[in-house]
Amino acid sequence: MIRFLRAAFAASFLLVAPAFAQDHDGTIHHADLNLSAPFTRATLPNAPVGGGFLSIQNAGADADRLVSASSPAAAMVQIHEMAMEGDVMKMRQLADGLELPPGETVTLAPGGFHLMFMGLTQAFVEGETVPVTLVFEKAGPVELDLPVMSAAADAAHTMSH
């Protein structure tokens, strides 16, 4: 009986464990997707929102879609877009998610597509990380940590060796 329970536990872990690998430069390979340069910005204490940014390369032959995100650091994480409407920059939720065309890289960056952390459970502190789970239509879920950069950061730091 114990042997059966151990096998069942091991099998259940394999079913829910994300299948990904990470390069020495921090790029996460998940199915046909390569996730790189993740970061977020430091927030003030009691700030209600924060942004999340990264690049997602779809190396596959078929389109995929970022359909949702979640984090224990926020009550809700939405996928947003900043775009000009006339002379006004507006932000809106992408209710259908973010299309990832085959062979292309989509960048989530300040002033464009981004993750919007809403209802922060704590301030984002420079030097710490914020865990997030991204869910893709075809590739499934993947967990990653967003390094917290300065409040004015507009890109992830890259390390040169």
Side-chain angles (χ1 to χ4, degrees):
M1 181 68 170
I2 291 175
R3 194 178 255 173
F4 172 76
L5 290 174
R6 284 184 183 160
F9 176 76
S12 68
F13 179 75
L14 290 173
L15 290 175
V16 298
F20 68 89
Q22 188 168 8
D23 272 353
H24 66 283
D25 68 353
T27 299
I28 295 173
H29 305 281
H30 177 65
D32 289 332
L33 305 176
N34 300 315
L35 313 173
S36 62
F39 75 101
T40 186
R41 293 173 168 167
T43 61
L44 295 172
N46 299 320
V49 297
F53 315 101
L54 71 149
S55 291
I56 306 169
Q57 177 192 34
N58 182 354
D62 298 315
D64 203 339
R65 180 175 293 276
L66 175 60
V67 293
S68 67
S70 62
S71 172
M76 178 185 319
V77 182
Q78 295 181 346
I79 304 160
H80 280 198
E81 173 188 36
M82 297 287 293
M84 292 297 292
E85 287 186 18
D87 293 335
V88 179
M89 176 71 83
K90 292 194 173 186
M91 180 170 57
R92 67 180 180 101
Q93 179 185 8
L94 298 175
D96 294 330
L98 179 60
E99 174 87 15
L100 304 169
E104 294 190 23
T105 299
V106 175
T107 301
L108 285 73
F113 299 120
H114 60 277
L115 301 173
M116 178 60 78
F117 294 81
M118 303 169 76
L120 301 183
T121 58
Q122 62 188 49
F124 293 177
V125 178
E126 186 174 351
E128 295 184 353
T129 60
V130 173
V132 64
T133 301
L134 304 177
V135 179
F136 297 94
E137 187 174 75
K138 294 180 181 165
V142 62
E143 296 177 1
L144 65 150
D145 290 325
L146 305 179
V148 181
M149 311 303 278
S150 75
D154 59 1
H157 288 288
T158 56
M159 299 178 72
S160 58
H161 297 281

